[in-house]
Amino acid sequence: MVQSKIKGVGVALITPFDNYKVDYDALARMVEHVINGGVDYIVALGSTAETATLSLEERHKVLRFIVERTAGRVPIVAGMGSNDTHALVEQLRTFDLSGTVAILSVVPYYNKPSQEGIYRHFMAVAEASPVPVIIYNVPGRTGVNMTAETTLRLAHATKRIVAVKEASGSIEQMQRIIDARPDEFLVLSGDDGLTVELIKRGGEGVISVAANAFAKDFCNCIHRAMNGDIETAEREMERLTAPINLLFKEGNPTGAKAMCAAMGITRDEVRQPLVEATAELMAEIKSDIATYDLK
């Protein structure tokens, strides 16, 4: 079952750039870095990948490159989202998703659909997708919260929807989903800092930004929680709270890319309208790498 492949730590992989072009050498280093760091699976083409600024051709090439470079060592999930339901359904029928175990699909952004609109959108996505679907609730980016009731309605309506990435920031909302979900439906955190608490309450892991940078430290923490050692995981998460917060101080993936650049893995380059980290943030990042012994 696909659910066994998307528990633990999934990394929302960044897309490295060099003078605006995708830097495939750096992308190869990122794949090796996160796999060696212990991630359980890779999420390509998510919001952290700056997919909104990638052309359709670039999206195809990036996903194929990650699939080939990973070579079956960890599962791959592909980000496939849109605020145009019809266009997304058509894209799902033609996009090459071979080598992936699922798609991650975000609540339609900007349009601010009703809960009924969100439900119909994801039911259409589930019907069209050749692989299972992880639905993604991130009201800070989309402008609308998918309620626990809508998530549960979708989870009970079709087995094609196998999990939710919850980034509402509300532990109470996540708990309502956990309490009433069908068997095998997974609840994954979309907030790195809330992951241990979510696992403590019955959740199954995280799709992480932090795992781009300090993969080993973060994966060790979450894997301890998944193995039932909550007390140790909570202590480790407390140590990681400051660097996690720093990753989001000037937005995502600005912080993640700055930290990866400070570690010598990639260049510190994003596509507009994002901008690179300020000198002040980069100084803080370098200090935290040394202070918290993040490699």
Side-chain angles (χ1 to χ4, degrees), residues 109-160:
Y109 40 86
Y110 188 75
N111 302 21
K112 299 187 75 172
S114 67
Q115 296 302 306
E116 181 64 24
I118 293 170
Y119 174 80
R120 293 187 189 184
H121 172 85
F122 280 133
M123 288 299 289
V125 169
E127 183 177 350
S129 177
V131 293
V133 178
I134 305 167
I135 53 178
Y136 179 18
N137 183 39
V138 57
R141 285 186 181 270
T142 64
V144 61
N145 177 50
M146 179 169 62
T147 65
E149 291 71 26
T150 299
T151 299
L152 290 167
R153 185 182 174 197
L154 287 161
H156 284 282
T158 175
K159 293 185 181 297
R160 300 289 298 161

Side-chain angles (χ1 to χ4, degrees), residues 4-21:
S4 65
K5 300 177 181 179
I6 55 172
K7 292 181 179 180
V9 180
V11 58
L13 199 68
I14 61 171
T15 306
F17 300 122
D18 184 356
N19 291 318
Y20 196 81
K21 295 181 180 179

